């Protein structure tokens, strides 16, 4: 893994940095006992189960199992390679890296390919934009945009462009600049013809919207047709650099405004995002034709806690807003929902009613999450009908009972009472009933399992004794080199029962060959496998005694070896059954073996 950057450098960087400080840039951390806790940036949660240890210089999430050292944290959160993480952290630690040229060939090729894909996108983004703004070929496209309310500023800001009506312009353009056609096909820019293996342009005669990653680098395009050509929007396929579930359109431009306003507006598509930006809503972001994912939520949570959802006001849009709102609400965001007249989307609304009305009557007038639910559950119901009305009221009271603030509960119960001319007292009573029934249920669930969150998660599948014993042994081996060798000796050539556990100790003993001192954080850099790294972080965060006494040690080893013997006994018992029918003498000797195995347990 560290072929290009020498291990001493990596150690130097690791030692120069404090993982708590690095993580704090992304996650709000609070000290609790020896460790720091916060909301996990890798999965949606309300109760902190993400911990960082300053002593051990590692992080671990009890919820989703994420874990590792400072390098793995930066790799995971920024979505970058190990090399890139090292470079980034070296900069932070003010350590100079002299890059060694002898690198792993495969890795070098992959990173070269990715760089080429990025370079080609950047080049084409500039060229498409130039074609649209400055050339005769792009003039009709420019007029088309201006007619539809785009401004010159907006076209520049979002680097909108135009792709020529040609089958091979991009193919030749890239070939002339020595880009490999195979790589460019994988980057989604050109397509290979099945019949003769030649290539043609993916985007032809379309208005080109570049899609940027969070650093402002072009990684994909969406091409809008000018006429009746289908599809109306043609997007780049998913590639090594473009992953829809991780990309929020306009994030790089909106981020400073989001930070300043402590608020973001989420749109369903990039066209709405651009229209809203023109209308002065500069903290807008959009998903790229997918529903909101956990990865999106994780990116958002590093930057903001309050979000307005502004989706289309048709049936599909409202359903999507309800789903997105629930995800965001569960992840602890303060959620609002902007509503437009039936059937409008933000782009059309702005065109019809103007930017000011959009800001005032739509964005600033957004509904609270509860207020939106009042509208949501009303859909498809005829409130003149008593049955519909009662089921609606019950549904809303149920939602109100989920609120945590008494003032809020009171507010919405009053609203309900006024609208349906009901007694506030009876509504309150009903709300309490629902609330306490739910509480009782939760309580009876909790008494079944009254451990703290992180222990609950670990106990969710009960593990056999040898499993726990192996993990405890590994935990001590990570702490002490001598213990590691001692345990290896006591195993007498036997392996751990769990393959991953055995892999970890094999790596660990390899690590101790060249390193005299135990250091989990350094060992995590040495481990190549992401899965094993997470497992080591989990094991390292298990509470264990500092010292391992002889009795404990022998008990654990016994658990590990006994499991092997138990498997052996089962095997012998099957053999015995067979032998009893066919070979009496053999059966006697197998029986003897089983007896001996049992005695040794
Ligand atoms: Zn997590």
């Amino acid at each position: 893994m560290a072929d290009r950057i020498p291990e001493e450098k990596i150690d130097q960087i690791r030692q120069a940095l404090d993982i708590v400080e690095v993580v704090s840039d992304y996650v709000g951390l609070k000290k609790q006992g020896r460790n720091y806790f916060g909301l996990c940036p890798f999965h949606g949660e309300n109760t902190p189960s993400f911990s960082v240890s300053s002593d051990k210089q590692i992080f671990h999430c009890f919820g989703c199992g994420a874990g590792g050292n400072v390098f793995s944290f930066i790799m995971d959160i920024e979505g970058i390679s190990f090399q890139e993480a090292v470079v980034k952290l070296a900069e932070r630690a003010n350590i100079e890296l002299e890059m060694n040229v002898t690198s792993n060939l495969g890795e070098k090729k992959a990173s070269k390919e990715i760089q080429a894909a990025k370079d080609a996108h950047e080049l084409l983004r500039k060229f498409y934009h130039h074609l649209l703004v400055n050339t005769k070929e792009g003039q009709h496209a420019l007029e088309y945009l201006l007619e539809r309310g785009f401004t010159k500023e907006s076209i520049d800001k979002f680097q909108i462009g135009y792709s020529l009506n040609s089958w091979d312009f991009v193919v030749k353009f890239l070939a002339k600049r020595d880009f490999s056609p195979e790589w460019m096909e994988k980057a989604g820019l050109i397509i290979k013809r099945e019949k003769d293996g030649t290539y043609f342009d993916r985007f032809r005669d379309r208005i080109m919207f570049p899609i940027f990653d969070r650093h402002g680098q072009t990684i994909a395009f969406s091409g809008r047709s000018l006429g009746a050509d289908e599809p109306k929007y043609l997007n780049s396929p998913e590639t090594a650099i473009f992953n829809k579930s991780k990309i929020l359109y306009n994030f790089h431009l909106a981020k400073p405004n989001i930070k300043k306003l402590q608020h973001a507006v989420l749109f369903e598509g990039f066209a709405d995002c651009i229209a809203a930006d023109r209308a002065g809503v500069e903290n807008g972001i959009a998903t790229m034709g997918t529903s909101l994912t956990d990865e999106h939520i994780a990116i958002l949570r590093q930057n903001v806690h309050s979000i307005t959802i502004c989706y289309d006001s048709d049936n599909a849009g409202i359903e999507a807003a309800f789903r997105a709102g629930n995800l965001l609400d569960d992840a602890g965001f303060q959620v609002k929902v902007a509503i437009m007249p039936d059937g409008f989307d933000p782009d059309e609304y702005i065109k019809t009613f103007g930017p000011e009305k959009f800001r005032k009557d739509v964005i600033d007038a957004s509904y609270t999450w509860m207020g939106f639910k009042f509208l949501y559950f009303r859909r498809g119901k005829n409130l003149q009908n008593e049955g519909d009305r009662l089921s609606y009221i019950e549904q809303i009271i149920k939602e109100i009972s989920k609120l945590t603030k008494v003032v809020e509960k009171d507010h919405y119960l009053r609203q309900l009472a006024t609208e349906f001319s009901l007694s506030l007292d009876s509504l309150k009573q009903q709300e309490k009933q629902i609330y306490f029934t739910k509480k009782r249920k939760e309580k009876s669930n909790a008494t079944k399992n009254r451990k703290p969150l992180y222990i609950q998660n670990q106990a969710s599948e009960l593990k056999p004794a040898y499993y726990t014993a192996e993990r405890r042994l590994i935990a001590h081996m990570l702490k002490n080199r001598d213990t590691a060798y001692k345990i290896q000796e006591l195993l007498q050539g036997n392996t751990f029962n769990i393959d991953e556990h055995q892999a970890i100790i094999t790596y660990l003993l390899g690590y101790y060959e060249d390193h005299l001192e135990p250091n989990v954080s350094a060992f995590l850099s040495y481990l190549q496998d992401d899965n094993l790294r997470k497992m080591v972080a989990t094991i390292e965060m298990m509470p264990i005694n500092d010292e391992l006494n002889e009795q404990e040690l022998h008990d654990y080893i016994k658990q590990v070896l006994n499991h092997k013997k138990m498997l052996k006994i089962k095997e012998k018992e099957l053999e015995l059954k067979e032998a009893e029918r066919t070979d009496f003498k053999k059966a006697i000797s197998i029986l003897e073996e089983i007896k001996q195995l049992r005695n040794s347990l």
Side-chain angles (χ1 to χ4, degrees), residues 171-284:
V171 172
K172 285 181 182 157
F173 179 88
L174 293 172
K176 221 187 284 169
R177 285 159 183 80
D178 285 335
F179 286 99
S180 133
E182 290 88 40
W183 286 3
M184 293 301 105
E185 194 216 356
K186 278 205 253 166
L189 293 169
I190 57 177
I191 299 170
K192 193 176 191 167
R193 284 190 185 88
E194 285 290 323
K195 58 175 198 305
D196 58 2
T198 58
Y199 296 92
F200 63 95
D201 296 6
R202 177 181 296 273
F203 300 103
R204 298 175 306 276
D205 190 25
R206 282 176 180 267
I207 291 174
M208 301 299 289
F209 296 88
I211 294 155
F212 300 92
D213 66 10
R214 61 172 114 173
H215 310 293
Q217 187 140 38
T218 313
I219 50 166
F221 290 103
S222 180
R224 188 195 198 288
S225 73
L226 283 149
D229 269 7
E230 290 293 332
K232 193 171 160 196
Y233 286 102
L234 178 67
N235 289 338
S236 298
E238 298 248 322
T239 63
I241 58 172
F242 177 47
N243 180 344
K244 277 192 253 177
S245 60
K246 284 185 180 164
I247 289 295
L248 287 165
Y249 182 76
N250 196 39
F251 186 76
H252 68 299
L253 292 176
K255 189 174 168 181
N257 302 305
I258 289 174
K259 289 264 183 195
K260 195 168 75 195
L261 299 166
Q262 288 290 303
H263 190 83
V265 182
L266 176 66
F267 295 101
E268 245 180 321
F270 67 86
D272 292 335
C273 197
I274 296 174
D277 181 87
R278 262 188 345 253
V281 178
E282 290 180 297
N283 54 339

Side-chain angles (χ1 to χ4, degrees), residues 540-558:
E540 182 61 18
M541 294 305 260
M542 287 185 338
I544 55 160
N545 298 331
D546 282 343
E547 289 290 317
L548 178 63
N549 66 42
E550 286 296 312
Q551 184 59 50
E552 216 183 328
L553 175 61
H554 285 280
D555 284 349
Y556 292 151
I557 296 280
K558 205 168 174 188

Side-chain angles (χ1 to χ4, degrees), residues 27-289:
V27 182
L29 292 175
K30 271 199 194 119
K31 192 159 193 208
Q32 234 175 307
R34 289 164 75 100
N35 296 331
Y36 292 79
F37 281 84
L39 293 172
C40 176
F42 303 113
H43 85 281
E45 60 173 7
N46 275 325
T47 3
S49 47
F50 178 81
S51 68
V52 184
S53 160
S54 169
D55 312 345
K56 296 169 180 159
Q57 289 293 307
I58 62 173
F59 74 97
H60 172 62
C61 173
F62 295 105
C64 68
N69 63 6
V70 71
F71 297 114
S72 11
F73 180 79
I74 291 295
M75 281 162 74
D76 291 349
I77 199 134
E78 296 276 351
I80 57 181
S81 71
F82 177 75
Q83 302 277 356
E84 289 169 311
V86 173
V87 171
K88 200 176 160 81
L89 289 171
E91 222 167 87
R92 189 185 169 118
N94 244 328
I95 289 171
E96 192 119 5
L97 286 177
E98 309 97 42
M99 289 294 197
N100 197 335
V101 219
T102 55
S103 103
N104 181 325
L105 265 180
E107 190 174 303
K108 206 171 166 192
K109 188 173 167 231
S111 75
K112 249 187 162 171
E113 190 174 330
I114 283 179
Q115 196 52 49
K118 288 180 178 173
D119 290 346
H121 275 88
E122 281 291 306
L123 211 57
L124 282 173
R125 191 245 315 149
K126 286 182 198 151
F127 192 73
Y128 287 148
H129 184 62
H130 167 75
L131 278 178
L132 178 76
V133 183
N134 301 319
T135 70
K136 224 175 167 167
E137 286 90 342
Q139 203 176 342
H140 67 296
L142 183 63
E143 277 162 16
Y144 178 93
L145 283 171
L146 295 173
E147 261 166 47
R148 270 158 189 77
F150 281 81
T151 58
K152 284 245 164 77
E153 296 79 55
S154 176
I155 289 170
D156 277 343
K157 181 171 180 181
F158 292 97
Q159 287 289 294
I160 301 166
Y162 171 68
S163 59
L164 290 172
N165 193 4
S166 152
W167 285 95
D168 60 0
F169 178 79
V170 171
V171 172
K172 285 181 182 157
F173 179 88
L174 293 172
K176 221 187 284 169
R177 285 159 183 80
D178 285 335
F179 286 99
S180 133
E182 290 88 40
W183 286 3
M184 293 301 105
E185 194 216 356
K186 278 205 253 166
L189 293 169
I190 57 177
I191 299 170
K192 193 176 191 167
R193 284 190 185 88
E194 285 290 323
K195 58 175 198 305
D196 58 2
T198 58
Y199 296 92
F200 63 95
D201 296 6
R202 177 181 296 273
F203 300 103
R204 298 175 306 276
D205 190 25
R206 282 176 180 267
I207 291 174
M208 301 299 289
F209 296 88
I211 294 155
F212 300 92
D213 66 10
R214 61 172 114 173
H215 310 293
Q217 187 140 38
T218 313
I219 50 166
F221 290 103
S222 180
R224 188 195 198 288
S225 73
L226 283 149
D229 269 7
E230 290 293 332
K232 193 171 160 196
Y233 286 102
L234 178 67
N235 289 338
S236 298
E238 298 248 322
T239 63
I241 58 172
F242 177 47
N243 180 344
K244 277 192 253 177
S245 60
K246 284 185 180 164
I247 289 295
L248 287 165
Y249 182 76
N250 196 39
F251 186 76
H252 68 299
L253 292 176
K255 189 174 168 181
N257 302 305
I258 289 174
K259 289 264 183 195
K260 195 168 75 195
L261 299 166
Q262 288 290 303
H263 190 83
V265 182
L266 176 66
F267 295 101
E268 245 180 321
F270 67 86
D272 292 335
C273 197
I274 296 174
D277 181 87
R278 262 188 345 253
V281 178
E282 290 180 297
N283 54 339
I285 44 170
T287 48
M288 288 299 308

